[in-house]
Amino acid sequence: MKLAMFDAGVGPQVGVVKNELVYPIKFEGGMVDLISNWGKMKEVVAKEVQSSGGISLSTVKLLPPVHRPGKIFAIGLNYADHIAESKMETPEFQVWFTKAVTSVNGPNDPVLIAKNAPYVDYEVELVAVVGKSGKNIAAENAADHIFGYCVGNDVTERLWQHRTPQWSLGKSFDTHCPIGPWITTAEEVPDPHNLSLRCLVNGETRQNSNTKHLVFNIWQQIEHLSEAMTLESGDLIFTGTPGGVGAAMDPRVFLQPGDRVRCEVDTLGAIEAEMVGEV
């Protein structure tokens, strides 16, 4: 099932996407509430889709499928080719940073290039959405805690990322966390470790890889994070980006106002944003 947040002119609604239509769901709450209650809502939602009329996707505005997640984690240096282009060693331990929840952006909304932060780069990623909360989750049980997956762009301001040892500010500018276009529930993604993903800038393919190349797989990521803290419904986990980022090009190429960045993950869809200079 593909679950989206959308606005058809009456405010945010939860809906199911099917055959280029979105079917509104009668549910008082947002996506995190739905995820938290999915055990008893799944069948209700499926029946509503069968009995209600759909709205053409082309006539609605898609919103971030999770507007305010409790936590956004992202792992760094998790594809060999990205580690190589970064001229760093393969990490012994998983390298984690956070993105501010205020950086979340819609799947097709503009991304701002801030006045004091012009070195903006793209990073296509598979994003895992936590379903069942848990602490100290063993890797062999991690799949049970995933609600679904979506496409993400870990937009990064490289100057702010690297001028101190802490990356989070450079990863957390407003609008720098586009996700979507919807959440594909986990049962429709039988193997999240074999999904092709790509990033195109103005139609040029810059990143092209497959999640089978992850250094630390998603189950290991869940195990590691949950050793430190409780993972909760709606938390987002950016699982790493492959090689091909603008900062590694020679000469380096950063995004400019007017550039269009499209991120795709097989079976999950695509998100696309125009870069806009901050006024």
Side-chain angles (χ1 to χ4, degrees):
M1 197 177 297
K2 293 177 170 55
L3 295 166
M5 292 294 298
F6 71 98
D7 188 347
V10 294
Q13 299 179 79
V14 184
V16 175
V17 176
K18 187 176 181 181
N19 298 328
E20 298 301 316
L21 299 173
V22 58
Y23 295 83
I25 297 170
K26 296 175 183 175
F27 179 75
E28 294 185 3
M31 185 67 78
V32 174
D33 302 307
L34 183 62
I35 292 172
S36 301
N37 292 282
W38 189 240
K40 59 184 179 183
M41 287 299 300
K42 182 178 179 179
E43 296 302 321
V44 175
V45 169
K47 289 179 180 177
E48 281 199 30
V49 172
Q50 293 175 351
S51 61
S52 64
I55 306 170
S56 173
L57 271 177
S58 63
T59 65
V60 306
K61 175 180 172 58
L62 287 173
L63 307 173
V66 182
H67 178 59
R68 281 289 184 269
K71 299 184 282 294
I72 306 174
F73 284 106
I75 189 170
L77 304 174
N78 204 32
Y79 282 81
D81 57 355
H82 182 51
I83 295 169
E85 70 179 7
S86 301
K87 297 180 174 55
M88 301 182 78
E89 298 292 327
T90 300
E92 179 181 0
F93 298 101
Q94 297 178 29
V95 177
W96 286 100
F97 55 89
T98 57
K99 292 177 76 75
V101 297
T102 47
S103 66
V104 169
N105 206 36
N108 300 306
D109 290 343
V111 168
L112 295 177
I113 298 176
K115 293 177 181 177
N116 57 345
Y119 299 105
V120 176
D121 210 347
Y122 49 83
E123 294 188 1
V124 62
E125 306 205 13
L126 170 67
V127 178
V129 182
V130 174
K132 185 171 66 174
S133 298
K135 179 78 166 56
N136 293 319
I137 302 166
E140 56 266 32
N141 299 324
D144 296 336
H145 291 261
I146 299 295
F147 177 74
Y149 302 90
C150 65
V151 183
N153 185 358
D154 175 20
V155 180
T156 302
E157 208 293 328
R158 298 297 184 193
L159 175 63
W160 284 66
Q161 179 191 6
H162 290 301
R163 67 183 179 184
T164 74
Q166 300 295 328
W167 294 1
S168 288
L169 280 182
K171 297 283 189 175
S172 293
F173 279 70
D174 289 351
T175 74
H176 284 200
C177 185
I179 54 172
W182 39 71
I183 298 171
T184 301
T185 52
E187 72 269 15
E188 292 196 4
V189 187
D191 185 2
H193 297 109
N194 190 17
L195 295 173
S196 295
L197 69 171
R198 292 162 295 280
C199 179
L200 298 87
V201 179
N202 301 325
E204 175 192 1
T205 301
R206 298 280 185 85
Q207 294 179 286
N208 190 359
S209 189
N210 188 291
T211 55
K212 65 184 178 184
H213 299 304
L214 290 172
V215 175
F216 298 103
N217 68 37
I218 300 166
W219 315 145
Q220 293 168 317
Q221 295 178 29
I222 295 287
E223 181 177 74
H224 188 72
L225 286 169
S226 70
E227 286 180 349
M229 66 195 72
T230 301
L231 296 178
E232 299 174 301
S233 302
D235 286 350
L236 304 180
I237 299 172
F238 280 66
T239 61
T241 199
V245 300
M249 297 174 71
D250 186 16
R252 299 187 299 171
V253 177
F254 295 108
L255 297 170
Q256 302 297 319
D259 285 346
R260 295 196 67 85
V261 179
R262 180 179 175 86
C263 296
E264 306 172 345
V265 179
D266 280 357
T267 76
L268 305 185
I271 61 176
E272 183 167 339
E274 180 180 358
M275 301 297 116
V276 177
E278 185 178 46
V279 178

